[in-house]
Amino acid sequence: MPSLYPTAHAERYDFGLPAFEMRGNQLYPTVHNEVHDYGLPAFEIRGTSVYPTIHNSVDDFGLPFYEIRGTQLYPTVHNSIDDYGLPTLDIRN
């Protein structure tokens, strides 16, 4: 199952530990993710955009928060937490 690992540019997730696991088109926080509630999907993938779900109380619901470029997630302009233009998460199998 693919997991998302924080890059060196990620500010709110621990580097080197998987922050999310991908199940279908949803991203579930792992036990290493101290930001989002474990067990509930925090993000949903729609095409190349990643949107917060209703279970995500931290990020703005309804606006694309990340953009998938290859195997990395980049913050969109709607993401005021992560640095715009720098990859935040890596998708790894």
Side-chain angles (χ1 to χ4, degrees), residues 57-79:
S57 61
V58 180
D59 306 311
D60 293 332
F61 180 73
L63 298 172
F65 213 68
Y66 294 106
E67 177 183 9
I68 301 173
R69 297 182 197 165
T71 61
Q72 294 184 318
L73 272 68
Y74 285 78
T76 65
V77 294
H78 306 293
N79 182 339

Side-chain angles (χ1 to χ4, degrees), residues 74-91:
Y74 285 78
T76 65
V77 294
H78 306 293
N79 182 339
S80 61
I81 298 169
D82 301 308
D83 291 334
Y84 183 74
L86 300 172
T88 303
L89 297 163
D90 280 329
I91 302 171

Side-chain angles (χ1 to χ4, degrees), residues 11-24:
E11 296 182 15
R12 58 182 176 161
Y13 306 117
D14 292 333
F15 181 71
L17 300 171
F20 295 96
E21 60 183 35
M22 192 181 300
R23 299 181 198 165

Side-chain angles (χ1 to χ4, degrees), residues 43-56:
F43 292 98
E44 180 178 62
I45 300 171
R46 300 181 201 161
T48 59
S49 297
V50 180
Y51 289 82
T53 65
I54 197 72
H55 306 292
N56 187 337

